[in-house]
Every structure is written in C-alpha cells, then in structure tokens.
Amino acid sequence: DSGVTQTPKHLITATGQRVTLRCSPRSGDLSVYWYQQSLDQGLQFLIQYYNGEERAKGNILERFSAQQFPDLHSELNLSSLELGDSALYFCASTVREDSYNSPLHFGNGTRLTVT
Amino acid sequence: AQSVTQLGSHVSVSEGALVLLRCNYSSSVPPYLFWYVQYPNQGLQLLLKYTTGATLVKGINGFEAEFKKSETSFHLTKPSAHMSDAAEYFCAVSYSGGGADGLTFGKGTHLIIQP
C-alpha cells in the first residue's frame, strides 16, 4: 500500500461530460503529480502541485484543470470529454518539491471510460 | 531534453531463467534513473533507483540494475525469474535542476513468465 488514495476507481461517462478525479497524497507528502496512462501514449505527465501551488505543467489539455487544497488533497477536472480521453489517470506524491532524487508514490489510479 | 527508450514492449522468459529488460536514456546532464513496476490493476511502485555513487544498484524482489554511462544504459536484471515477476516495468529518468516536472518514463516492457 503506497498510502496514496484515488477515487473513484472506475468512471464511465459520455462524451461532452465533465468529471472530477480525487487524490489524497501519502501522509507528509506535499507534492502531487498527475499522470495519464494510455496504450498509445504511455505514461504522460500532466501537472504537479506543491503545497497548494502549481509547480509544473506537462502535456495537459486546456480542457483539463487541477488544484490542490489546503489539506493537500488534489482534484483533476476533465471537461468536454472526448473518446480519446479514456485512460488510466494516476496520482503520485512525494515529500519534496522536485522528484529528481525522491521516488514517487503512486495511487492505484482511476480508470476513465468515455463512451 | 531527456528521454528514455525501452527496447522490447514484451519480453518472455521461462521461470528460473535470467530476466533482462533494456533501458537507454538520453540526458545532457548526469541523470537520475529509476525502475518502476506495475502489477495488474495497481499503481507503479519503485523497484530501484540510481542517483550517485555505486553504479550497480540493488532493488527489491531480487532485481538489480547497472548504470553504464558510456553506453547510456540502465538495464534491469534478475538472475532467476519467478511467476510473480510478471508485470509491466517502466524505466524513468530525471536530473538535478530539471525542474519540478516529474519523471520522464519509457513506454514500458511487459514481462511474461512462462511456466
């Protein structure tokens, strides 16, 4: 058990809809990372927050947004969903602002299916 | 920019045989290298990491990897495969000063263990 909790585990929704994915980081971790995993693209970094502030952006679409709350949990909002957004979305946390020397602790992911 | 190439999207070995998963990286500065494992329906967990110092790194579950700067490689090995090793393995790279944008992952190698 990594200590990172993601909810829900599965989400099925229709095109055009909006969903929110939730992540509770490991106790004591201040950084939260969001990744998208798909068969064709592999693991793609989306966005990172550290202690409530956005720190880095990766391949995140404008239709997607995220935030980290004072209690350090994070939410990833996906809107105007398209079939291609179907993927496994992972949250990972680490204690430091950067991850270059400290391992990421991953949640079990949320599997999003857009129909 | 840094990148990771994992040779072979699928590797099949017999139980008890040597496991060799290949990873080559591209980084203009000294890298930090990681191997993560993903079991079905789970998030990624850290197997081992190389930061500085000894180039042969030992990880969990009997895995080890050797950093070879001249070959820009960080191959993962295990002397004797076990059925429980069947999983997806990801090589990842980052570097000091690279910013808070998480790790760059390879596409992954699916390890199949034949009985």
Side-chain angles (χ1 to χ4, degrees):
Chain A
D1 182 8
S2 68
V4 178
T5 303
Q6 288 188 250
T7 57
K9 290 184 179 180
H10 303 276
L11 204 47
I12 302 174
T13 189
T15 54
Q17 295 299 304
R18 172 190 170 95
V19 297
T20 297
L21 313 183
R22 181 188 170 100
C23 169
S24 294
R26 201 175 61 136
S27 177
D29 286 356
L30 300 177
S31 272
V32 169
Y33 295 77
W34 285 98
Y35 283 86
Q36 179 193 58
Q37 185 181 35
S38 60
L39 283 176
D40 53 345
Q41 295 292 325
L43 267 167
Q44 296 286 315
F45 167 69
L46 296 178
I47 196 165
Q48 185 228 357
Y49 281 82
Y50 176 77
N51 204 21
E53 294 188 7
E54 182 184 304
R55 274 292 182 263
K57 267 188 174 180
N59 301 318
I60 188 166
L61 301 172
E62 287 191 10
R63 300 183 285 109
F64 296 0
S65 65
Q67 54 184 326
Q68 186 179 29
F69 295 87
D71 66 353
L72 300 177
H73 90 271
S74 178
E75 293 181 356
L76 178 66
N77 300 296
L78 316 176
S79 61
S80 302
L81 285 168
E82 302 174 359
L83 295 178
D85 297 328
S86 296
L88 197 52
Y89 292 84
F90 284 108
C91 166
S93 72
T94 188
V95 63
R96 295 167 57 113
E97 181 175 354
D98 59 71
S99 66
Y100 74 85
N101 197 18
S102 58
L104 295 176
H105 301 272
F106 283 79
N108 286 343
T110 293
R111 183 169 295 282
L112 173 65
T113 303
V114 182
T115 62
Chain B
Q2 58 200 28
S3 66
V4 174
T5 302
Q6 291 184 239
L7 296 175
S9 59
H10 291 77
V11 170
S12 180
V13 302
S14 299
E15 191 174 16
L18 171 72
V19 175
L20 171 61
L21 304 182
R22 300 177 187 275
C23 171
N24 288 90
Y25 69 90
S26 171
S27 175
S28 58
V29 296
Y32 294 85
L33 296 159
F34 305 79
W35 275 99
Y36 281 82
V37 61
Q38 183 181 25
Y39 297 104
N41 301 313
Q42 293 186 25
L44 282 71
Q45 58 179 278
L46 182 69
L47 266 181
L48 49 81
K49 68 174 183 178
Y50 167 79
T51 52
T52 58
T55 56
L56 182 62
V57 181
K58 294 187 184 299
I60 61 172
N61 301 337
F63 284 93
E64 61 182 37
E66 186 172 10
F67 170 60
K68 292 187 176 181
K69 185 178 177 181
S70 61
E71 299 177 8
T72 61
S73 69
F74 191 58
H75 302 332
L76 182 70
T77 60
K78 181 174 181 178
S80 177
H82 192 273
M83 295 300 291
S84 61
D85 294 326
E88 191 85 15
Y89 291 79
F90 293 90
C91 182
V93 63
S94 69
Y95 60 96
S96 174
D101 60 349
L103 301 173
T104 298
F105 285 89
K107 294 281 189 184
T109 297
H110 185 64
L111 178 62
I112 301 162
I113 310 297
Q114 304 280 3

